[in-house]
Amino acid sequence: MTSPDPEPGSRARAGYLRTPHGNIEVPGFLPVATRGAVRLLDWGDVYSLGFDAILANAYHLMLRPGVDYIAVAGGLHSFLGWNRPILTDSGGFQAMSLGGIATDEGIIFRSVYDGTRHLLTPEEALRVQAALGVDIAVALDECPRLPAPIEQVRAATYRSLGWARRSIEAFWASQVRTGQLLAGVVQGGVDEKLRREAAVSMVDMGFDVYAIGGLSVGEEFGERLSMLDIVTRLLPSDRPRYLMGVGDPPTILEAIWMGVDLFDSVLPTRLGRHGTAMTWEGRVNLRASSSARQDIPISQGCGCPTCLSHTRGYIRHLLLVGEETGRRLVSLHNLYFTRSLFKKVRKAIESGTLEAMKEKILTYWGEGR
C-alpha cells in the first residue's frame, strides 16, 4: 500500500485493495449509486470511465426493493448487473438525517417510502450487507452534523464505538465467511481528544478497513484537515483508509497527502445535475450567460465524450430548456474529470510531484467545499 519513495512530509500511498470482485486501485474514488444507479448514467458509462468500484446505500436498498428480493436475485452484483467491487454504507447516516432517533440499541426510523417503523441495529446493518453480498460493508455509526454541541458529539462518538464493538463481534460470529471486508468508522467531530480516542479504540478492535466519518458536514476546511492529520497518523499503515462523503479536489489532495486511500461523494453528479462543471481551473457554471455562444468544450484538452462532441453553448441551451441530456452530459464530464484527477494523483505519487499538484489544485479551487 505504501509509495516506494514518498516526498518529504507525505504519507501518500499507491497500490491496490483486493476484494472478492476484483482489485480497487488506490488512491481511488467510488461513484455513488445510492439506490443502485449512478444518477443519469448507466453501467456502460461507469465502466468506460474506468472506475473500479461503486458505493450503494444500504438504507435505501433494504427498504426498496428489499434485501430478500435482492438475495433471491443472486445478490446485489447480479441484481444491478455490475461485476466489479461494491461498498455499501451502513445506512446509519440516512436513517439519522431523515428523521431517525439514535439510541444505544440502534437507530429508530420510519421509511421514507411507506412510513413503516424500523430499528436498525449494528447487527441488522451487517446482516443486510451480508445478504447483499457486497465486497466492503460499513459498521453502523452515528454522524452528527457540524457545528454541534460538544455533548452531542461526545455522545455520538461513544455510541459509535459501542456499535463498532457489537459490529465486529457479530461479523466474526457469522457462520458464512465470504471474503467480505468490514470497515469501522472513526467519529469525533472536530474535537482532537475525541478523534484520538476514537481512532485508538477502533484500531484496537481490528477492522479490515478504517473509515473516517463525520467530516465535510459543516466544519471549516482547516478543522477538517486538522482532524484528518490526527486520525491518519494513528491508523495502521497496512490497512486501507477511507474518507467518507468527500469529493472536492482540495480536500482529496490533502487527504491523499496524509495517507487516505478511498473516497466517495455525490459531488460530481450533483454538480452536473445543476449545470456546474468540474475543471482543472475550478468550477464552471454552464448556466451563466458567459457560456452562451461559446463554441468551445467545457474544458480545453479534455478527452471525455462530452467535450469531444459538444460545446458549452449547446450544453447551456439544453440546461436552460430543461433537457435531461444536458444534465447527463455535465455529470459524465464531471466523473471523467474525477477519474482523471485520481490517475494524475497516482502518477504524481510515483514521480514525487504530489505537493506541486496539491498546490496547483488549491490555487484554482480554493479551500475545499
Side-chain angles (χ1 to χ4, degrees):
M1 295 288 296
T2 304
S3 174
D5 188 22
E7 295 175 70
S10 173
R11 304 191 297 277
R13 301 113 68 84
Y16 295 89
L17 170 59
R18 293 186 179 90
T19 79
H21 287 85
N23 293 338
I24 303 174
E25 184 177 88
V26 296
F29 182 87
L30 283 62
V32 175
T34 299
R35 295 176 174 84
V38 178
R39 295 284 294 275
L40 298 177
L41 306 183
D42 61 33
W43 296 133
D45 297 322
V46 184
Y47 281 132
S48 67
L49 292 172
F51 287 102
D52 297 324
I54 59 169
L55 176 144
N57 188 285
Y59 168 89
H60 288 286
L61 293 173
M62 76 182 200
L63 297 175
R64 289 287 188 276
V67 177
D68 293 341
Y69 184 94
I70 295 174
V72 170
L76 191 57
H77 291 85
S78 177
F79 179 67
L80 300 184
W82 170 264
N83 61 17
R84 293 178 184 175
I86 299 176
L87 181 151
T88 45
D89 58 25
S90 67
F93 182 80
Q94 287 69 33
M96 287 292 299
S97 63
L98 295 171
I101 300 173
T103 69
D104 289 343
E105 180 63 19
I107 302 174
I108 302 169
F109 68 94
R110 291 190 178 276
S111 167
V112 293
Y113 299 103
D114 59 15
T116 53
R117 185 177 182 276
H118 299 265
L119 171 63
L120 182 62
T121 66
E123 295 82 5
E124 177 64 9
L126 287 186
R127 186 197 71 80
V128 166
Q129 294 176 88
L132 294 175
V134 300
D135 300 85
I136 305 174
V138 176
L140 188 68
D141 69 303
E142 182 181 353
C143 176
R145 292 189 181 275
L146 300 176
I150 186 60
E151 295 80 8
Q152 180 184 346
V153 176
R154 183 180 293 110
T157 302
Y158 290 147
R159 183 173 288 127
S160 295
L161 288 173
W163 288 351
R165 293 186 188 95
R166 288 166 56 186
S167 296
I168 203 159
E169 289 172 3
F171 184 75
W172 288 112
S174 172
Q175 297 295 316
V176 181
R177 304 254 45 95
T178 62
Q180 186 180 71
L181 304 176
L182 179 61
V185 185
V186 178
Q187 288 289 348
V190 292
D191 185 273
E192 179 177 339
K193 182 175 181 293
L194 284 175
R195 281 286 176 180
R196 289 184 182 278
E197 185 175 351
V200 170
S201 296
M202 295 297 289
V203 171
D204 287 343
M205 294 182 210
F207 285 89
D208 301 307
V209 176
Y210 290 94
I212 305 169
L215 295 177
S216 197
V217 290
E219 78 284 356
E220 297 293 331
F221 184 62
E223 293 176 318
R224 186 182 312 155
L225 298 191
S226 177
M227 295 304 104
L228 280 173
D229 187 51
I230 289 168
V231 173
T232 52
R233 289 180 185 277
L234 294 171
L235 297 180
S237 60
D238 62 343
R239 303 293 172 89
R241 293 91 169 261
Y242 160 41
L243 180 55
M244 307 177 77
V246 169
D248 65 278
T251 302
I252 287 172
L253 268 292
E254 293 284 5
I256 289 173
W257 178 265
M258 298 178 196
V260 174
D261 305 300
L262 288 176
F263 302 80
D264 81 272
S265 177
V266 298
L267 185 68
T269 50
R270 177 175 289 169
L271 287 177
R273 294 195 304 275
H274 289 87
T276 298
M278 303 172 73
T279 78
W280 298 104
E281 291 75 38
R283 302 186 189 201
V284 175
N285 179 8
L286 294 170
R287 290 178 175 272
S289 58
S290 57
S291 294
R293 302 184 183 279
Q294 286 195 339
D295 191 26
I296 58 172
I298 293 174
S299 184
Q300 296 283 8
C302 177
C304 80
T306 300
C307 287
L308 291 176
S309 302
H310 305 292
T311 65
R312 289 188 181 188
Y314 173 63
I315 295 170
R316 179 178 186 269
H317 158 70
L318 295 178
L319 293 169
L320 293 185
V321 299
E323 283 287 349
E324 288 295 285
T325 300
R327 304 202 306 163
R328 169 182 155 77
L329 289 173
V330 187
S331 298
L332 190 63
H333 165 84
N334 285 351
L335 278 178
Y336 180 95
F337 167 83
T338 302
R339 177 65 181 131
S340 299
L341 176 70
F342 277 82
K343 286 181 179 178
K344 291 189 176 183
V345 163
R346 188 178 179 90
K347 290 181 179 179
I349 293 172
E350 294 170 345
S351 64
T353 58
L354 182 60
E355 184 171 19
M357 182 179 177
K358 182 163 63 80
E359 294 305 316
K360 184 176 181 180
I361 287 290
L362 190 61
T363 297
Y364 285 110
W365 278 80
E367 292 185 350
R369 54 194 185 277

